[in-house]
Amino acid sequence: MTPTFEPARETEPLHIAKKYISCYNAQNYDELTTILHPRSFRFSHHNRGVYAESAAEFVDLLRRMGAEVFPDRRFTAIRSAHVFDDVVLLDTRWSGRPIVTVPGRFEAGTELIMYIKSLIVVNDGVISEIRDHN
């Protein structure tokens, strides 16, 4: 018997996680807002000490980061993806070239590369939590 595969439904966790990556890369904040839980959303990037307690705060953070520090930042690859019920674990490669120097952290114009592990929780077709580690 040959296994059959159905295309991913738009509300499935992996589809939503990949849509997040696509919106992030395109800096499409309007579309991103549609896949973030409007009342119960949290973001954390533990190694960088960056946190957001709402979808609006997270989108504002991304807007500022894109405009003021890393206009070309993007996930350049999804190295692996694993789904456990409503949780998606992504292993990604991220790169960006800052337009400003932050002493002790990075120089303007130098390409930065991070390998980020993301835990993304999807409830009812929207993301309720993103935890990044690198």
Side-chain angles (χ1 to χ4, degrees):
M1 177 178 199
T2 304
T4 58
F5 300 97
E6 295 180 31
R9 291 190 309 261
E10 291 188 8
T11 58
E12 288 182 355
L14 183 57
H15 177 82
I16 297 295
K18 287 182 175 180
K19 190 171 183 179
Y20 158 66
I21 296 293
S22 177
C23 290
Y24 178 97
N25 286 348
Q27 297 187 39
N28 184 343
Y29 305 114
D30 292 336
E31 184 74 17
L32 177 60
T33 299
T34 68
I35 61 167
L36 301 178
H37 197 290
R39 293 174 309 283
S40 178
F41 175 84
R42 292 182 306 175
F43 169 81
S44 59
H45 190 147
H46 294 283
N47 304 78
R48 301 284 175 227
V50 178
Y51 303 92
E53 293 298 323
S54 70
E57 185 180 353
F58 179 60
V59 170
D60 184 56
L61 173 76
L62 293 180
R63 282 183 199 275
R64 287 193 330 263
M65 184 175 75
E68 299 170 10
V69 184
F70 290 102
D72 69 339
R73 92 288 188 275
R74 61 189 301 102
F75 291 102
T76 58
I78 296 175
R79 296 160 24 114
S80 66
H82 306 277
V83 181
F84 304 92
D85 298 322
D86 61 352
V87 176
V88 180
L89 300 175
L90 294 181
D91 179 4
T92 60
R93 181 183 185 273
W94 178 97
S95 73
R97 224 175 264 284
I99 58 174
V100 296
T101 294
V102 175
R105 302 241 1 232
F106 48 77
E107 288 283 323
T110 302
E111 182 181 22
L112 301 178
I113 296 172
M114 291 189 289
Y115 294 93
I116 299 176
K117 282 43 169 186
S118 298
L119 180 144
I120 300 172
V121 180
V122 178
N123 291 309
D124 299 321
V126 292
I127 297 171
S128 59
E129 184 171 8
I130 301 172
R131 290 189 218 167
D132 285 347
H133 302 269
N134 67 300

